Protein backbone atom coordinates (compact mmCIF):
# COMPACT_ATOMS: atom_id res chain seq x y z
CA UNK A 1 0.00 0.00 0.00
CA UNK A 2 2.84 2.37 0.89
CA UNK A 3 4.62 1.50 -2.36
CA UNK A 4 1.46 2.30 -4.35
CA UNK A 5 1.21 5.65 -2.60
CA UNK A 6 4.83 6.51 -3.37
CA UNK A 7 4.34 5.41 -6.96
CA UNK A 8 1.37 7.74 -7.35
CA UNK A 9 3.38 10.57 -5.83
CA UNK A 10 6.18 10.03 -8.33
CA UNK A 11 3.70 9.93 -11.21
CA UNK A 12 2.09 13.14 -9.94
CA UNK A 13 5.46 14.85 -9.59
CA UNK A 14 6.53 13.83 -13.09
CA UNK A 15 3.22 14.99 -14.56
CA UNK A 16 3.40 18.35 -12.78
CA UNK A 17 7.05 18.81 -13.75
CA UNK A 18 6.16 18.14 -17.39
CA UNK A 19 3.22 20.54 -17.20
CA UNK A 20 5.47 23.21 -15.65
CA UNK A 21 8.02 22.78 -18.44
CA UNK A 22 5.24 23.05 -21.02
CA UNK A 23 4.32 26.42 -19.50
CA UNK A 24 7.94 27.58 -19.20
CA UNK A 25 9.29 26.55 -22.60
CA UNK A 26 7.26 29.11 -24.64
CA UNK A 27 8.57 31.94 -22.47
CA UNK A 28 12.17 30.68 -22.87
CA UNK A 29 11.66 30.62 -26.65
CA UNK A 30 10.24 34.14 -26.46
CA UNK A 31 13.26 35.38 -24.51
CA UNK A 32 15.79 33.68 -26.81
CA UNK A 33 14.01 34.97 -29.91
CA UNK A 34 14.17 38.52 -28.59
CA UNK A 35 17.99 38.33 -28.55
CA UNK A 36 18.30 36.51 -31.88
CA UNK A 37 19.47 38.28 -35.01
CA UNK A 38 16.82 39.20 -37.57
CA UNK A 39 18.58 37.26 -40.32
CA UNK A 40 18.75 34.01 -38.34
CA UNK A 41 15.03 34.20 -37.54
CA UNK A 42 14.14 34.86 -41.19
CA UNK A 43 16.36 32.08 -42.51
CA UNK A 44 15.88 29.38 -39.88
CA UNK A 45 12.77 30.40 -37.95
CA UNK A 46 12.51 30.56 -34.19
CA UNK A 47 15.00 28.41 -32.33
CA UNK A 48 16.23 27.78 -28.81
CA UNK A 49 19.79 27.85 -30.19
CA UNK A 50 19.98 30.62 -32.80
CA UNK A 51 23.01 30.87 -35.09
CA UNK A 52 23.60 34.49 -34.16
CA UNK A 53 22.65 36.56 -31.13
CA UNK A 54 21.78 40.21 -31.41
CA UNK A 55 20.51 42.90 -29.07
CA UNK A 56 19.34 45.22 -31.84
CA UNK A 57 15.72 44.76 -30.79
CA UNK A 58 16.45 46.07 -27.30
CA UNK A 59 18.68 48.80 -28.75
CA UNK A 60 15.78 49.91 -30.93
CA UNK A 61 13.46 49.97 -27.93
CA UNK A 62 16.14 51.81 -25.97
CA UNK A 63 16.09 54.56 -28.59
CA UNK A 64 12.45 55.09 -27.59
CA UNK A 65 13.20 54.99 -23.88
CA UNK A 66 11.76 58.47 -23.30
CA UNK A 67 8.35 57.29 -24.48
CA UNK A 68 8.70 53.88 -22.85
CA UNK A 69 9.77 55.35 -19.50
CA UNK A 70 6.83 57.73 -19.41
CA UNK A 71 4.45 54.94 -20.48
CA UNK A 72 5.86 52.66 -17.77
CA UNK A 73 5.25 55.36 -15.16
CA UNK A 74 1.67 55.83 -16.33
CA UNK A 75 1.06 52.07 -16.34
CA UNK A 76 2.49 51.64 -12.85
CA UNK A 77 0.34 54.53 -11.61
CA UNK A 78 -2.93 53.25 -13.08
CA UNK A 79 -2.14 49.70 -11.92
CA UNK A 80 -1.48 50.75 -8.32
CA UNK A 81 -4.30 53.29 -8.06
CA UNK A 82 -6.79 51.20 -10.02
CA UNK A 83 -6.07 48.02 -8.06
CA UNK A 84 -6.33 49.81 -4.70
CA UNK A 85 -9.57 51.55 -5.67
CA UNK A 86 -11.02 48.34 -7.09
CA UNK A 87 -10.21 46.38 -3.92
CA UNK A 88 -11.76 49.09 -1.75
CA UNK A 89 -14.98 49.25 -3.78
CA UNK A 90 -15.24 45.49 -4.22
CA UNK A 91 -14.76 44.72 -0.53
CA UNK A 92 -17.17 47.45 0.60
CA UNK A 93 -19.86 46.12 -1.72
CA UNK A 94 -19.22 42.42 -1.04
CA UNK A 95 -19.20 42.71 2.75
CA UNK A 96 -22.81 43.97 3.19
CA UNK A 97 -23.98 41.33 0.71
CA UNK A 98 -22.41 38.64 2.91
CA UNK A 99 -24.31 39.69 6.03
CA UNK A 100 -27.60 37.93 6.83
CA UNK A 101 -29.05 40.98 8.58
CA UNK A 102 -28.79 43.31 5.54
CA UNK A 103 -32.20 43.98 3.93
CA UNK A 104 -32.60 42.96 0.27
CA UNK A 105 -29.17 41.36 0.13
CA UNK A 106 -30.38 38.84 -2.48
CA UNK A 107 -31.70 41.68 -4.63
CA UNK A 108 -28.30 43.42 -4.58
CA UNK A 109 -26.60 40.11 -5.36
CA UNK A 110 -28.92 39.69 -8.35
CA UNK A 111 -28.04 43.16 -9.63
CA UNK A 112 -24.34 42.32 -9.43
CA UNK A 113 -24.89 38.99 -11.17
CA UNK A 114 -26.97 40.71 -13.86
CA UNK A 115 -23.97 42.79 -14.89
CA UNK A 116 -22.13 39.56 -15.73
CA UNK A 117 -24.76 38.66 -18.30
CA UNK A 118 -25.71 41.97 -19.90
CA UNK A 119 -24.17 45.39 -20.54
CA UNK A 120 -25.08 48.49 -22.48
CA UNK A 121 -22.49 48.01 -25.20
CA UNK A 122 -19.53 50.03 -26.41
CA UNK A 123 -21.32 53.02 -27.94
CA UNK A 124 -23.47 53.92 -24.88
CA UNK A 125 -20.45 53.40 -22.61
CA UNK A 126 -18.32 55.65 -24.78
CA UNK A 127 -20.96 58.39 -24.84
CA UNK A 128 -21.44 58.24 -21.06
CA UNK A 129 -17.72 58.41 -20.25
CA UNK A 130 -16.86 61.08 -22.83
CA UNK A 131 -19.94 63.34 -22.78
CA UNK A 132 -21.30 62.98 -19.25
CA UNK A 133 -18.24 62.19 -17.14
CA UNK A 134 -15.85 63.89 -19.61
CA UNK A 135 -12.87 61.68 -18.84
CA UNK A 136 -11.56 61.42 -22.40
CA UNK A 137 -7.83 62.19 -22.60
CA UNK A 138 -7.48 62.11 -18.82
CA UNK A 139 -5.71 59.60 -16.61
CA UNK A 140 -9.11 58.47 -15.30
CA UNK A 141 -9.97 57.12 -18.74
CA UNK A 142 -7.35 54.43 -18.12
CA UNK A 143 -8.68 53.56 -14.65
CA UNK A 144 -12.48 53.72 -14.61
CA UNK A 145 -14.07 52.23 -17.76
CA UNK A 146 -14.57 48.48 -17.61
CA UNK A 147 -11.89 47.73 -15.02
CA UNK A 148 -12.72 49.47 -11.76
CA UNK A 149 -15.54 47.10 -10.75
CA UNK A 150 -16.13 43.49 -11.72
CA UNK A 151 -19.22 41.53 -10.70
CA UNK A 152 -17.34 38.22 -10.63
CA UNK A 153 -14.83 39.60 -8.12
CA UNK A 154 -17.65 40.95 -5.95
CA UNK A 155 -19.37 37.56 -5.80
CA UNK A 156 -16.04 35.82 -5.18
CA UNK A 157 -15.24 38.10 -2.25
CA UNK A 158 -18.78 37.88 -0.88
CA UNK A 159 -18.51 34.08 -0.79
CA UNK A 160 -15.18 34.33 1.02
CA UNK A 161 -16.68 36.64 3.66
CA UNK A 162 -19.60 34.25 4.14
CA UNK A 163 -17.45 31.11 4.53
CA UNK A 164 -14.25 32.34 6.17
CA UNK A 165 -15.18 35.21 8.49
CA UNK A 166 -17.00 33.85 11.58
CA UNK A 167 -20.06 35.98 12.46
CA UNK A 168 -19.18 35.46 16.13
CA UNK A 169 -16.07 37.61 15.70
CA UNK A 170 -18.11 40.47 14.31
CA UNK A 171 -20.66 40.12 17.09
CA UNK A 172 -17.87 40.12 19.70
CA UNK A 173 -16.41 43.28 18.20
CA UNK A 174 -19.83 44.96 18.28
CA UNK A 175 -20.29 43.95 21.92
CA UNK A 176 -16.94 45.60 22.68
CA UNK A 177 -18.24 48.81 21.11
CA UNK A 178 -16.97 48.59 17.55
CA UNK A 179 -19.25 49.95 14.86
CA UNK A 180 -19.75 48.43 11.42
CA UNK A 181 -16.91 50.38 9.82
CA UNK A 182 -14.42 49.60 12.58
CA UNK A 183 -15.36 45.92 12.60
CA UNK A 184 -14.93 45.83 8.84
CA UNK A 185 -11.46 47.39 8.81
CA UNK A 186 -10.13 45.86 12.06
CA UNK A 187 -11.67 42.38 11.92
CA UNK A 188 -12.90 41.44 8.44
CA UNK A 189 -10.13 42.79 6.20
CA UNK A 190 -7.19 41.36 8.21
CA UNK A 191 -8.83 37.92 8.00
CA UNK A 192 -9.33 38.31 4.24
CA UNK A 193 -5.72 38.66 3.09
CA UNK A 194 -5.91 35.59 0.73
CA UNK A 195 -8.94 36.82 -1.23
CA UNK A 196 -7.69 40.41 -1.26
CA UNK A 197 -4.35 39.27 -2.68
CA UNK A 198 -6.08 37.05 -5.23
CA UNK A 199 -8.45 39.71 -6.53
CA UNK A 200 -5.68 42.29 -6.31
CA UNK A 201 -3.57 40.12 -8.61
CA UNK A 202 -6.50 39.74 -11.02
CA UNK A 203 -7.01 43.48 -11.15
CA UNK A 204 -3.31 44.30 -11.41
CA UNK A 205 -2.95 42.00 -14.42
CA UNK A 206 -6.02 43.55 -16.07
CA UNK A 207 -4.72 47.07 -15.57
CA UNK A 208 -1.20 46.23 -16.66
CA UNK A 209 -2.29 44.46 -19.84
CA UNK A 210 -5.10 46.85 -20.74
CA UNK A 211 -4.83 48.47 -24.15
CA UNK A 212 -8.51 48.87 -24.97
CA UNK A 213 -9.17 51.93 -22.78
CA UNK A 214 -6.12 53.68 -24.19
CA UNK A 215 -7.21 52.94 -27.74
CA UNK A 216 -10.81 54.03 -27.11
CA UNK A 217 -10.59 57.01 -24.76
CA UNK A 218 -7.06 58.41 -25.18
CA UNK A 219 -5.62 60.19 -28.21
CA UNK A 220 -2.97 62.22 -26.36
CA UNK A 221 0.42 60.41 -26.69
CA UNK A 222 1.46 61.83 -23.31
CA UNK A 223 -1.13 59.56 -21.66
CA UNK A 224 -0.36 56.34 -23.52
CA UNK A 225 0.23 53.30 -21.31
CA UNK A 226 3.00 50.80 -21.97
CA UNK A 227 0.67 48.54 -23.97
CA UNK A 228 -0.40 51.40 -26.23
CA UNK A 229 3.18 52.57 -26.75
CA UNK A 230 4.36 49.06 -27.61
CA UNK A 231 1.48 48.63 -30.02
CA UNK A 232 2.36 51.96 -31.62
CA UNK A 233 6.01 50.90 -32.04
CA UNK A 234 4.89 47.69 -33.76
CA UNK A 235 2.66 49.73 -36.09
CA UNK A 236 5.54 52.09 -36.92
CA UNK A 237 7.83 49.16 -37.73
CA UNK A 238 5.18 47.56 -39.95
CA UNK A 239 4.65 50.86 -41.75
CA UNK A 240 8.36 51.38 -42.39
CA UNK A 241 8.82 47.78 -43.49
CA UNK A 242 5.83 47.66 -45.85
CA UNK A 243 5.73 51.14 -47.35
CA UNK A 244 7.21 51.00 -50.83
CA UNK A 245 7.23 54.78 -51.35
CA UNK A 246 9.97 55.53 -48.86
CA UNK A 247 13.09 57.44 -49.83
CA UNK A 248 16.26 55.42 -50.33
CA UNK A 249 17.71 56.39 -46.93
CA UNK A 250 14.44 55.66 -45.13
CA UNK A 251 14.10 52.38 -47.01
CA UNK A 252 17.64 51.42 -45.98
CA UNK A 253 16.85 52.21 -42.34
CA UNK A 254 13.62 50.26 -42.54
CA UNK A 255 15.46 47.23 -43.91
CA UNK A 256 17.74 47.25 -40.89
CA UNK A 257 14.90 47.30 -38.38
CA UNK A 258 14.61 44.10 -36.30
CA UNK A 259 10.92 43.87 -37.12
CA UNK A 260 10.57 40.22 -36.06
CA UNK A 261 12.76 40.09 -32.95
CA UNK A 262 11.45 43.44 -31.69
CA UNK A 263 8.00 41.91 -31.32
CA UNK A 264 9.50 39.33 -28.99
CA UNK A 265 11.39 42.01 -27.06
CA UNK A 266 8.17 43.99 -26.69
CA UNK A 267 6.40 40.93 -25.29
CA UNK A 268 9.25 40.39 -22.81
CA UNK A 269 9.10 44.00 -21.64
CA UNK A 270 5.33 43.80 -21.26
CA UNK A 271 5.19 40.57 -19.26
CA UNK A 272 8.34 40.87 -17.13
CA UNK A 273 6.88 43.04 -14.29
CA UNK A 274 3.98 40.62 -13.83
CA UNK A 275 6.39 37.68 -13.60
CA UNK A 276 8.38 39.55 -10.96
CA UNK A 277 5.29 40.42 -8.90
CA UNK A 278 3.53 37.04 -9.09
CA UNK A 279 5.72 35.12 -6.58
CA UNK A 280 4.82 37.62 -3.85
CA UNK A 281 1.11 36.81 -4.32
CA UNK A 282 1.40 33.09 -4.99
CA UNK A 283 1.07 31.93 -1.37
CA UNK A 284 -2.31 33.69 -1.12
CA UNK A 285 -3.53 32.96 -4.62
CA UNK A 286 -4.54 29.28 -4.37
CA UNK A 287 -6.12 29.64 -0.93
CA UNK A 288 -8.09 32.73 -1.90
CA UNK A 289 -9.47 31.39 -5.16
CA UNK A 290 -10.34 27.99 -3.64
CA UNK A 291 -12.17 29.32 -0.58
CA UNK A 292 -13.82 32.18 -2.44
CA UNK A 293 -15.21 29.88 -5.12
CA UNK A 294 -16.76 27.25 -2.79
CA UNK A 295 -20.26 28.37 -3.71
Amino acid sequence: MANDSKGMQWISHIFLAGFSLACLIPFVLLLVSSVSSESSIIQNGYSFFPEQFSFKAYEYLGSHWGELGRAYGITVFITVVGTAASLAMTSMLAYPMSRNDIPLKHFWAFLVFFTLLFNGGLVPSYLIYTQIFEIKNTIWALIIPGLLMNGFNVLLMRTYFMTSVPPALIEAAQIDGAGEIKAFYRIVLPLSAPILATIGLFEAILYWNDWFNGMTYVTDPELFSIQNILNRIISDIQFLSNNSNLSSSAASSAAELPSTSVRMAIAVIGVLPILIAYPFFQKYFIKGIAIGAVK
Side-chain angles (χ1 to χ4, degrees):
M1 191 70 178
N3 292 332
D4 293 341
S5 178
K6 290 183 179 180
M8 288 301 299
Q9 288 182 357
W10 275 104
I11 293 175
S12 300
H13 291 164
I14 293 173
F15 174 78
L16 292 176
F19 185 77
S20 300
L21 285 176
C23 296
L24 184 62
I25 286 175
F27 181 76
V28 174
L29 180 62
L30 175 71
L31 185 61
V32 173
S33 300
S34 70
V35 294
S36 301
S37 66
E38 187 74 9
S39 59
S40 64
I41 294 178
I42 293 175
Q43 293 175 5
N44 305 315
Y46 300 105
S47 172
F48 290 101
F49 306 99
E51 294 182 356
Q52 184 179 6
F53 288 94
S54 173
F55 291 92
K56 286 186 177 181
Y58 290 99
E59 292 174 1
Y60 179 80
L61 294 179
S63 65
H64 293 76
W65 181 245
E67 295 176 307
L68 289 173
R70 183 181 62 250
Y72 255 115
I74 291 174
T75 303
V76 169
F77 176 80
I78 64 174
T79 300
V80 173
V81 174
T83 301
S86 178
L87 283 176
M89 296 177 63
T90 301
S91 60
M92 288 190 292
L93 177 58
Y95 175 64
M97 291 169 51
S98 69
R99 296 283 300 275
N100 293 324
D101 54 346
I102 298 298
L104 301 176
K105 77 166 191 173
H106 295 295
F107 172 74
W108 303 119
F110 170 77
L111 289 183
V112 172
F113 178 73
F114 187 83
T115 63
L116 299 177
L117 304 178
F118 304 99
N119 61 73
L122 177 60
V123 174
S125 300
Y126 180 83
L127 294 176
I128 289 174
Y129 286 123
T130 57
Q131 297 186 11
I132 297 179
F133 295 107
E134 297 182 352
I135 63 172
K136 185 176 181 179
N137 281 330
T138 67
I139 195 67
W140 304 111
L142 300 174
I143 296 177
I144 298 176
L147 300 174
L148 191 59
M149 179 66 72
N150 184 291
F152 174 78
N153 291 341
V154 173
L155 296 178
L156 196 66
M157 189 172 289
R158 181 202 65 166
T159 304
Y160 185 94
F161 289 154
M162 293 173 62
T163 58
S164 301
V165 180
L169 283 179
I170 301 175
E171 294 175 1
Q174 292 174 342
I175 292 174
D176 290 338
E180 290 289 352
I181 296 178
K182 189 173 183 179
F184 176 64
Y185 284 103
R186 299 293 297 272
I187 303 296
V188 177
L189 291 185
L191 293 174
S192 305
I195 194 65
L196 291 174
T198 301
I199 293 179
L201 180 62
F202 286 165
E203 289 294 330
I205 291 175
L206 287 175
Y207 274 107
W208 186 268
N209 292 329
D210 178 61
W211 55 269
F212 183 77
N213 283 346
M215 183 187 70
T216 306
Y217 301 103
V218 175
T219 57
D220 183 3
E222 297 292 324
L223 293 174
F224 281 173
S225 66
I226 187 65
Q227 304 299 336
N228 296 115
I229 284 291
L230 296 180
N231 184 60
R232 183 179 178 181
I233 291 175
I234 291 178
S235 300
D236 292 343
I237 291 176
Q238 289 176 340
F239 173 78
L240 292 174
S241 300
N242 299 329
N243 196 326
S244 60
N245 298 323
L246 294 172
S247 63
S248 58
S249 60
S252 176
S253 300
E256 298 177 356
L257 288 176
S259 57
T260 304
S261 59
V262 78
R263 291 179 174 86
M264 305 299 139
I266 285 173
V268 171
I269 290 177
V271 76
L272 193 59
I274 296 298
L275 291 179
I276 294 174
Y278 180 77
F280 297 98
F281 294 89
Q282 185 178 10
K283 64 180 180 179
Y284 299 109
F285 185 77
I286 298 176
K287 181 179 179 182
I289 195 68
I291 298 178
V294 169
K295 291 188 178 181

